[in-house]
Amino acid sequence: TSSFYATKKSGSILERMYEDAESKKYDGSDGNPLSGVYDTTESDFYDFYSDSIVGRDMSLAVGSAGVTVVAMIIHTKSPFLTLMGLFQIILSFPLAYFVYYFIAGLVFFPFLNFIGIFVVFALGADDVFVAVDKWKNARHELPHGTTEQVAALALPDAAYAMFLTS
């Protein structure tokens, strides 16, 4: 077998080698005696590969956010509640980063952590669904109650359910 090594430590050279290896340029089917490309000095090939996978996953995260927004609009029947739910979800990111960086003291923030967007959107949407359902149930129990009475009945139950599911 033959190996192909990068003699210069350059990101563009290593990235081109990785792309050539991924496109099977070095598979030996064209009579070329070179049968493989290996990055034995660093983990650069692994970094290129994981970055490409994470990039595709981020597009799925954006798609899932879109589906979540549509589901929230259908369930709540209110663009205002949907926007407030999205606002709640978006505000959770700076809070989570504050806890991650300042409280936990973690300085390293790998790009892979952005996949947590799936989880954050799911939990945030679930909180909106629970709050809306608890409000509807309280409105059925108190059909002639004031907004304050409905809120006093619905919100403690919603908070407890959100705490358990989050």
Side-chain angles (χ1 to χ4, degrees), residues 14-30 34-37 45 49 52:
L14 288 170
E15 191 167 359
R16 190 169 62 244
M17 284 174 58
Y18 171 75
E19 289 169 359
D20 288 346
E22 284 296 301
S23 66
K24 306 282 190 244
K25 183 176 178 182
Y26 305 118
D27 66 357
S29 62
D30 60 354
L34 187 64
S35 63
V37 176
F45 275 17
Y49 175 72
S52 69

Side-chain angles (χ1 to χ4, degrees), residues 103-156:
I103 305 292
L106 300 171
V107 178
F108 179 66
F109 192 79
F111 191 67
L112 196 59
N113 283 355
F114 284 109
I115 300 303
I117 290 172
F118 286 112
V119 176
V120 171
F121 266 95
L123 290 175
D126 181 59
D127 289 349
V128 171
F129 296 152
V130 167
V132 168
D133 287 342
K134 291 292 185 179
W135 188 273
K136 288 178 183 177
N137 291 342
R139 182 56 74 188
H140 285 300
E141 288 182 31
L142 300 170
H144 302 294
T146 65
T147 302
E148 289 84 10
Q149 292 170 330
V150 173
L153 180 63
L155 294 181

